[in-house]
Amino acid sequence: MEFLQKQGIHSCKKHELLVNKEYSSTNNMYSLGMAFDNVWNEDWNTVYVLNGDVVFEKSFLKNASGESSGVFVDKTMYIEESMKVILGEDGYISDISKKIGEDSYYAVSVDMYRFQREEAEIFYKRIKEILSSGRVNQWTEVALSELFREGLLKMVPIDISGYIWWEIDNHEDKLRTLFRLNLLHDLPDLINCKLFVFDLDGTINLGNRPIDRAPDFIELLRKFGKYTAFLTNNSSMTNQDHKEIIERILGIDVEEREVFSSLDHLKDYLDSKKYEKIFYVLNDRALHQLGVSQNQQLEADAVVVGFDTEITYEKMRKAVILLQKGADLIVVYPDMRCPTDEGFIPNAGSISQLIGSVSGEKVFYVGGKPYPQMIVDIASRFGVELSEIVYFVDRIYTDIKMVEKLPAKAFLMLTGETNFEDLLDDTDLIGGLETNNVFLVENFRFLYRVFERIIVLF
């Protein structure tokens, strides 16, 4: 209560903890009815209703005061288990429910409400009507939904998008909250980083479709003088191809030096090994990037396998035979599948696994991500320290593993291959949650609003 008062939310002089002894057979509407009964005759004009299982960023509460009755909402995500609101054409909320679908919702309620006395009286009256009818096991929002749909209660959405909050109902919610608190704690260091590096497929785009708000977020960083770069394992095309695709999909300008791929690292590695004859399971465009031509002989010191979207049975057959003759198996990178707007397709890791399993040969070398040299090289290209890099990714087993032992920071996006259940299965990552350099960000809509609010302060 003292904390709320410090944020400018002044309470009644009467402070009392009420215990709902009928808790097992009622719900939060019953408890709220008890609270209203207890304070209704006090002298107040505004009342705030908060659920006790929601964690809020302190600065959010500083902006909680206002004149209109409203529902505090977050427009940056859709949460299945949360209350969602629909906005009417008149600007007032027309419904609130957990059952509202993603195609029609306006925002997610953060379980905080502000009522002026007039709207509170309408709300309180409906609560008493519902409870007196015997419907005691109801959510508070049932009363709100009825009043909204009947047009009897006028409340506006109060947008707190970009502030840190989360509702804690279970262990999974607790972990999400810890991730968000870690992000909040480290925001000053993250904002002050100089180079922001983005993985491509699954992070900023899905096939030919941009990830929502990714272009806006990149432009926001550039506006405030940050370097941006694009790092990809995708070996099916040249860096110029990647540049043109990024520009076409995201609608932004990209400099040539901003693109760094697994083929850049592969070229350096092959030059260091000085193989005389190499057979490539790669696209013609990739061979052009490397500046080489295909080995047509049935002899080779190494077989290089990447993301070959022009692969043929004959090419696989020749690779298998050469490996059985003693050639080294070099995998450009280990990604098993590539996310597209139509679903996942085979990637370098799964292609090499097929070839290796037939030949019986073990992999001699795996390049690309998660090889740390990729980040080291791009830091050198931009003249920044590793600690000044933030890397945005969608995979744990390649991208996160690449930076977990480096001073660079990683943002794990839930926009591509990884979902939160995958994250829970990674005991090492979860075990070091409060000390590692990995931050969870569900989407760019959320991150854009966070950075937009904070970056001007630094």
Side-chain angles (χ1 to χ4, degrees):
M1 191 68 69
E2 291 179 0
F3 174 71
L4 293 176
Q5 288 178 318
K6 289 180 180 179
Q7 309 311 313
I9 302 176
H10 302 287
S11 64
C12 304
K13 296 180 179 179
K14 181 179 181 180
H15 299 166
E16 186 174 348
L17 175 64
L18 300 179
V19 178
N20 178 6
K21 295 182 180 179
E22 306 299 325
Y23 175 81
S24 61
S25 59
T26 63
N27 215 311
N28 65 351
M29 185 190 296
Y30 188 93
S31 300
L32 182 57
M34 291 175 53
F36 271 145
D37 290 341
N38 195 53
V39 302
W40 199 255
N41 293 324
E42 298 289 331
D43 182 21
W44 54 267
N45 295 318
T46 307
V47 62
Y48 290 83
V49 176
L50 297 80
N51 280 7
D53 58 356
V54 182
V55 174
F56 295 107
E57 178 184 345
K58 290 181 180 179
S59 54
F60 151 63
L61 292 174
K62 289 181 180 179
N63 298 316
S65 59
E67 297 299 326
S68 59
S69 295
V71 180
F72 289 81
V73 300
D74 189 332
K75 297 172 62 177
T76 66
M77 63 191 62
Y78 180 87
I79 305 172
E80 193 71 38
E81 290 301 312
S82 293
M83 293 288 175
K84 278 79 68 175
V85 302
I86 296 176
L87 192 65
E89 294 182 358
D90 58 1
Y92 292 103
I93 294 172
S94 61
D95 200 3
I96 182 169
S97 172
K98 285 188 176 184
K99 297 180 180 179
I100 295 173
E102 191 168 3
D103 58 339
S104 58
Y105 93 116
Y106 171 77
V108 170
S109 166
V110 303
D111 292 333
M112 181 173 178
Y113 308 89
R114 182 175 68 218
F115 294 92
Q116 300 304 327
R117 187 86 189 200
E118 180 179 351
E119 286 75 27
E121 289 178 355
I122 297 171
F123 182 40
Y124 181 36
K125 178 182 178 182
R126 180 56 57 93
I127 288 177
K128 290 193 293 184
E129 291 173 354
I130 292 175
L131 295 178
S132 62
S133 70
R135 297 162 58 199
V136 296
N137 190 17
Q138 300 288 333
W139 295 107
T140 298
E141 288 77 10
V142 170
L144 288 175
S145 179
E146 291 182 1
L147 292 168
F148 290 151
R149 286 186 280 113
E150 294 168 11
L152 299 177
L153 184 61
K154 299 294 185 181
M155 297 181 72
V156 298
I158 304 171
D159 187 9
I160 56 90
S161 301
Y163 287 91
I164 307 298
W165 70 277
W166 200 262
E167 180 183 9
I168 305 177
D169 286 333
N170 50 43
H171 180 64
E172 178 180 321
D173 288 333
K174 177 183 177 182
L175 291 176
R176 281 186 180 265
T177 302
L178 288 175
F179 268 113
R180 292 212 157 190
L181 292 178
N182 288 347
L183 173 62
L184 178 63
H185 179 267
D186 286 9
L187 268 177
D189 289 339
L190 293 166
I191 293 289
N192 283 321
C193 284
K194 296 179 179 179
L195 174 60
F196 292 76
V197 183
F198 298 86
D199 174 50
L200 299 185
D201 298 321
T203 301
I204 63 169
N205 68 285
L206 284 175
N208 291 315
R209 177 169 56 87
I211 299 293
D212 187 28
R213 297 307 297 273
D216 297 330
F217 181 71
I218 293 169
E219 293 287 32
L220 177 69
L221 295 173
R222 290 174 171 179
K223 176 182 177 181
F224 285 92
K226 306 298 183 182
Y227 295 130
T228 58
F230 304 92
L231 183 63
T232 179
N233 264 351
N234 191 330
S235 60
S236 67
M237 58 189 77
T238 68
N239 287 4
Q240 179 64 27
D241 293 333
H242 286 303
K243 174 183 181 300
E244 293 174 359
I245 288 173
I246 295 168
E247 290 180 331
R248 173 174 56 82
I249 294 176
L250 299 189
I252 62 177
D253 293 328
V254 177
E255 296 180 12
E256 186 175 341
R257 73 164 185 160
E258 290 183 299
V259 179
F260 192 88
S261 78
S262 60
L263 292 176
D264 293 310
H265 170 61
L266 175 66
K267 189 176 189 304
D268 291 340
Y269 175 77
L270 294 178
D271 288 344
S272 71
K273 297 298 291 184
K274 300 188 183 304
Y275 287 113
E276 293 186 5
K277 299 177 181 179
I278 302 173
F279 182 75
Y280 298 94
V281 183
L282 286 172
N283 291 0
D284 289 341
R285 298 294 294 166
L287 297 183
H288 177 75
Q289 173 73 30
L290 293 172
V292 300
S293 58
Q294 181 63 284
N295 174 17
Q296 301 297 336
Q297 303 177 35
L298 201 56
E299 296 179 3
D301 304 310
V303 172
V304 174
V305 181
F307 183 20
D308 188 350
T309 57
E310 300 167 355
I311 194 167
T312 63
Y313 185 85
E314 176 60 23
K315 194 181 290 187
M316 289 192 293
R317 184 191 69 81
K318 188 172 182 179
V320 168
I321 291 174
L322 291 172
L323 288 170
Q324 291 177 86
K325 288 185 175 183
D328 293 338
L329 175 55
I330 297 171
V331 182
V332 181
Y333 58 90
D335 294 9
M336 297 296 291
R337 54 186 188 171
C338 176
T340 72
D341 49 2
E342 296 178 322
F344 294 107
I345 60 176
N347 211 325
S350 52
I351 295 173
S352 64
Q353 191 174 81
L354 171 60
I355 292 173
S357 64
V358 176
S359 67
E361 298 301 314
K362 294 182 179 180
V363 176
F364 180 79
Y365 177 78
V366 179
K369 300 179 290 185
Y371 191 64
Q373 191 64 36
M374 294 276 282
I375 287 291
V376 174
D377 289 346
I378 204 166
S380 176
R381 177 179 290 189
F382 282 85
V384 301
E385 301 294 328
L386 288 172
S387 60
E388 297 174 319
I389 293 179
V390 181
Y391 184 36
F392 296 81
V393 305
D394 74 307
R395 288 187 180 94
I396 296 176
Y397 65 92
T398 54
D399 300 301
I400 294 298
K401 297 303 180 185
M402 182 171 66
V403 299
E404 65 180 0
K405 295 182 180 179
L406 299 175
K409 290 87 171 172
F411 274 71
L412 178 61
M413 310 295 296
L414 301 184
T415 51
E417 182 168 328
T418 302
N419 56 41
F420 194 74
E421 288 67 32
D422 297 327
L423 183 59
L424 293 177
D425 291 336
D426 194 310
T427 55
D428 291 337
L429 191 57
I430 293 297
L433 181 62
E434 298 185 48
T435 58
N436 61 32
N437 58 346
V438 178
F439 303 90
L440 175 68
V441 181
E442 286 85 353
N443 59 63
F444 282 111
R445 282 183 293 157
F446 166 70
L447 196 60
Y448 180 91
R449 293 296 295 269
V450 172
F451 269 58
E452 181 184 43
R453 176 173 62 89
I454 299 295
I455 199 168
V456 295
L457 303 176
F458 292 87

